[in-house]
Amino acid sequence: MPGTAGRPGVYLNDRVLLLEEAKVSVLDHGFLYGDGVYETMRVYDGVVFMMEEHLARLERSASLIELRLPKSAGRIKLAIFETLEACGQKDAYLRVTVSRGEGPIGLDPSLCPRPTFFIFADRLKHPPRSNYEEGIALAIVDTRRNLREALDPRIKSLNFLNNILAGIEARKMGANEALMLNNEGLAAEGTTSNVFFVMDGALCTPSPECGILEGITREVVLGLARRLDIKVVEGAFGTAEISGAGEVFITSTIAEVVPVRQVIQKTEGGASQSKKFPVGPVTKLLMAEYRKEVSSYVENTKAAGPSIWGFTE
Ligand code: PMP
């Protein structure tokens, strides 16, 4: 759509709109109950990194809440391209949201005949450079990650209060991100990130059984580590193991690989103590390898030609 470049790209249900034109009903069950799913993707030089994987996770999240996506993967890709074109940004933040849709008050999904489909793309706001050079502070918070049996963390849902409350707690403790423990007191994940640490030369990260969202960046990093012959341990880890680690970092689609310089923890008496970490060699290596991986993905995708990013239907 001409005339929209430089503004956010917005696609609602079946077309590109200006942001101010895009309106959703107050009776949308996404708004009323947090009933819906979403994906956040990062666009590098016009290419959506790991788009297939994100769309597969969107499909899985939707199927876990018995929500039928209103479009095929091919149609969603087409809508993504239209949104990016409207946005006109080559390095962008991109979010695809699907809610249960509008319906009368009541929890029953069958009240909502048509899901609401929404894409939002905007210029990427880069995290500060110091996050990568010096690292961020991570706080081990009291807010526990939702019990896996109560709300499956594999569902990337609009119901984000668990993570929001953990984030509020982390900020009060002077940290950039929270480390949430599961109900057994074992490390799970950040509010919007997965956590890794290096112990005795091995790269360790909580396994899916600990109750995490299986991050796409996490998968890429695990793949890179295996390729580099770094020993990988997906397991169950307590806070003492993290405090005793040599290096700690977090991963997410938007932030990529981010070193942790400090882990803050509450003591018995309610005061807080912190442990410092260097930006160590394994973290540095994986940060560099991740960027290389992104570059080759972008190059290969572009080289695949004008059938933009493999769209077929
Ligand atoms: N855990 C949670 C709870 C998240 O919201 C995210 C961000 N999507 C992640 C982990 C990291 O996942 P990804 O690498 O796919 O962005």
Side-chain angles (χ1 to χ4, degrees), residues 38-40 54 57 145 156 160 163 189-194 212-218 251-254:
Y38 78 100
E39 273 300 315
T40 299
H54 281 285
R57 189 169 67 184
R145 187 74 178 105
K156 199 162 165 51
F160 230 59
N163 314 46
E189 62 182 334
T191 62
T192 56
S193 62
N194 290 112
I212 59 166
L213 178 78
E214 289 166 58
I216 286 166
T217 322
R218 175 185 182 277
T251 61
S252 82
T253 293
I254 297 299

